[in-house]
Amino acid sequence: MDNFLTSDAIRTLFSQAMSAMYQQEVPLYGTLTQLVTAVNDRTLEANPTLKNRLAAADELSRLSVERHGAIRVGTAAELSTLRQLFAVMGMEPVGYYDLSQAGVPVHSTAFRPVTDRALRRNPFRVFTSLLRLELIGDAALRARAAEILASRDIFTPGCRALLAKHQQQGGLNAADAAAFVKEALETFRWHASTTVDSATYRALNQQHRLIADVVCFRGCHINHLTPRTLDIDRVQALMPSRGIDPKTLIEGPPQRKVPILLRQTSFKALEEAVHFIDGTPGTHTARFGEIEQRGAALTPKGRALYDRLLAQAGTGRDNQQHQAHLSEVFRDFPDDEQTLREQGLAWFRYRLTEKGEHARPRPGESLNQLLADERIQAEPIVYEDFLPVSAAGIFQSNLGNDVQARQAGNASRDDFETALGSPVLDEMALYQQMQQRSLEQCGIVAR
Ligand code: OOG
Ligand code: NI
């Protein structure tokens, strides 16, 4: 039998290739990654405990490596082929995000690794949105957009051949994997020439800038990549000093002692030169760079509290004021691990301590007592998914400030899953299983 590369290894090759391509395509993104590295280095210098913890978890070497990217596609066929493409890299569709409520005519999922092991290796995810053509009001334009989309193939023949080979053999050897990454990358490459004339572009752009972005190009260009920062507030503040224009607000929860969910911010999308097929020059605005900082995954109860407080806080026009206000409002969200655990607000991973290895838990012993005796340790499980309100904020800030009125569509998860060709996984079930498995491994609950 052939020596197949693991899906983790292929994902790593792919994310590296994507990063190199995007830094070359969008030099300002390269500048952002340099800033992130500089701030991460400084943060580690100032905080040896953090540095030791990350070193112990083998996190230091890949600290500034990308954690996610995003793409937008136009048809069910494109989405379902992407599902197969990401499956080669061990990335499965997790979660359903309805962004139509926020005036963005797409719904989305995140392709990501799901097991503890794969996430530890490389948690690279791709936030993938499907355009909802049915939200285009003008029937003639809707038909035209569908026709344009039907006549493109965003995958190379080589990519399709290797997908088929992977499905037949159940894996790819090193040479095939390298070829696959190279072919797959073509789908995400930028094209400075559109597939439509300037009048069609303008008409679609007027309906919604995202519609033009999805419909008018040969591929589904990667629109941003997102490394991890250890200090998002500082990177946001320093962006202008490097010639980077940040979006106004950091999305998500405020800074806390125990970080929760996901904080993210980006720079504003660049206006880039394009050529229309009628030969006229123009510009298109879609691509940007983002940074993220992740914290604990919340249980449904914790998530409900987060959603309530976030709605209560509203938005702001100034980041410092907004963060101060968020911190006020989030006083109602417990900020120590013990309370988060006791109130069932966050998911935890349990481990035996050395002491616990020597005096292993017996059935019937209480979790709290084992923790108090330091025979087991609990550590929050990291949130691996996305937040619809934050995603809408990221989308909006990259669509310009002209608010585009739009009827709010209804969530249609069924339509999305039909297009995808499979159900999306339930992220809460995944976290719950992780917690449960860790309890089983400690011998606290039966398998
Ligand atoms: C995706 C925006 C969502 C995030 O980090 O929340 C996203 C897009 O602009 O296509 O990437
Ligand atoms: Ni993003």
Side-chain angles (χ1 to χ4, degrees):
M1 202 181 93
D2 269 328
N3 251 332
F4 293 147
L5 238 57
T6 63
S7 54
D8 292 344
I10 304 177
R11 181 170 68 260
T12 296
L13 288 176
F14 175 77
S15 63
Q16 284 167 349
M18 186 93 110
S19 174
M21 179 176 84
Y22 199 58
Q23 291 192 41
Q24 204 175 44
E25 286 184 350
V26 182
L28 196 62
Y29 173 67
T31 308
L32 177 65
T33 63
Q34 286 161 16
L35 174 59
V36 168
T37 305
V39 170
N40 282 351
D41 288 348
R42 225 194 84 143
T43 309
L44 290 171
E45 251 168 57
N47 190 342
T49 320
L50 177 65
K51 186 166 181 178
N52 289 337
R53 190 156 57 73
L54 290 172
D58 208 15
E59 290 272 10
L60 276 188
S61 55
R62 52 190 187 90
L63 198 56
S64 308
V65 164
E66 283 80 1
R67 299 305 160 116
H68 83 259
I71 54 172
R72 308 154 185 167
V73 295
T75 68
E78 290 171 356
L79 183 66
S80 78
T81 305
L82 281 169
R83 174 173 59 79
Q84 296 163 47
L85 184 150
F86 287 126
V88 173
M89 310 180 211
M91 297 157 80
E92 294 181 52
V94 181
Y96 172 75
Y97 302 89
D98 171 29
L99 290 152
S100 67
Q101 294 304 322
V104 183
V106 304
H107 45 183
S108 320
T109 192
F111 289 99
R112 68 161 175 90
V114 294
T115 66
D116 272 328
R117 225 177 98 138
L119 285 163
R120 262 202 315 278
R121 284 277 154 77
N122 176 349
F124 188 66
R125 323 152 175 84
V126 178
F127 191 88
T128 302
S129 300
L130 176 64
L131 185 62
R132 294 178 62 184
L133 280 181
E134 76 272 19
L135 298 183
I136 300 185
D138 174 338
L141 197 61
R142 187 163 64 234
R144 176 94 181 96
E147 185 192 338
I148 297 166
L149 287 169
S151 68
R152 76 177 184 183
D153 188 352
I154 63 174
F155 304 99
T156 66
C159 178
R160 288 187 180 279
L162 285 161
L163 275 180
K165 191 167 182 180
H166 182 273
Q167 277 158 15
Q168 250 161 37
Q169 304 182 144
L172 294 176
N173 67 22
D176 282 344
F180 172 75
V181 166
K182 186 164 168 285
E183 295 289 337
L185 208 59
E186 290 307 308
T187 296
F188 307 101
R189 187 182 292 287
W190 173 247
H191 299 281
S193 45
T194 67
T195 57
V196 302
D197 57 34
S198 50
T200 306
Y201 176 90
R202 263 201 312 277
L204 290 168
N205 204 48
Q206 225 160 37
Q207 282 285 310
H208 197 288
R209 286 162 78 151
L210 262 183
I211 297 173
D213 184 53
V214 174
V215 175
C216 299
F217 296 88
R218 278 205 331 264
C220 59
H221 40 258
I222 181 88
N223 67 52
H224 67 277
L225 284 177
T226 311
R228 169 187 184 184
T229 170
L230 297 175
D231 190 345
I232 196 168
D233 300 278
R234 188 158 177 81
V235 177
Q236 168 90 358
L238 286 176
M239 277 195 217
S241 73
R242 303 264 178 139
I244 306 173
D245 185 15
K247 76 190 281 299
T248 310
L249 299 182
I250 296 176
E251 302 289 341
Q255 188 182 39
R256 293 161 40 93
K257 287 205 283 296
V258 182
I260 51 169
L261 298 174
L262 172 63
R263 301 183 72 206
Q264 50 196 146
T265 185
S266 72
F267 63 76
K268 293 196 186 127
L270 304 172
E271 187 176 336
E272 300 178 271
V274 293
H275 309 277
F276 299 111
I277 49 166
D278 49 314
T280 57
T283 63
H284 180 67
T285 303
R287 302 194 299 165
F288 58 101
E290 187 191 14
I291 51 173
E292 65 165 54
Q293 196 165 7
R294 289 180 183 266
L298 301 184
T299 60
K301 182 181 170 194
R303 179 54 185 269
L305 178 57
Y306 170 78
D307 286 339
R308 181 165 72 68
L309 296 179
L310 190 76
Q312 186 185 325
T315 67
R317 295 176 170 274
D318 172 271
N319 189 49
Q320 280 197 0
Q321 269 172 24
H322 178 62
Q323 295 302 323
H325 177 58
L326 267 182
S327 297
E328 266 306 297
V329 173
F330 271 75
R331 277 200 198 155
D332 287 346
F333 206 118
D335 195 10
D336 67 279
E337 291 187 9
Q338 189 177 341
T339 313
L340 289 172
R341 201 178 53 72
E342 285 173 0
Q343 295 190 6
L345 294 168
W347 298 108
F348 282 81
R349 182 179 285 110
Y350 296 89
R351 266 187 244 283
L352 288 178
T353 60
E354 238 182 64
K355 198 170 161 196
E357 294 280 1
H358 291 111
R360 296 182 78 93
R362 290 175 304 275
E365 280 191 279
S366 95
L367 194 57
N368 286 339
Q369 193 56 50
L370 288 163
L371 284 162
D373 292 350
E374 292 181 356
R375 286 161 65 200
I376 59 168
Q377 241 170 18
E379 161 197 80
I381 294 176
V382 175
Y383 188 59
E384 304 291 352
D385 295 287
F386 293 85
L387 298 166
V389 175
S390 297
I394 296 284
F395 266 110
Q396 283 308 351
S397 72
N398 291 288
L399 293 170
N401 293 327
D402 47 326
V403 174
Q404 290 174 305
R406 178 136 316 279
Q407 79 231 51
N410 295 316
S412 56
R413 183 188 179 127
D414 284 353
D415 291 353
F416 187 84
E417 292 182 333
T418 304
L420 182 66
S422 89
V424 297
L425 299 175
D426 172 4
E427 67 278 13
M428 286 297 177
L430 292 173
Y431 295 120
Q432 203 259 332
Q433 283 159 20
M434 276 184 179
Q435 175 173 298
Q436 180 68 13
R437 239 175 282 127
S438 77
L439 285 166
E440 289 168 6
Q441 274 158 10
C442 293
I444 295 166
V445 298
R447 274 169 215 251

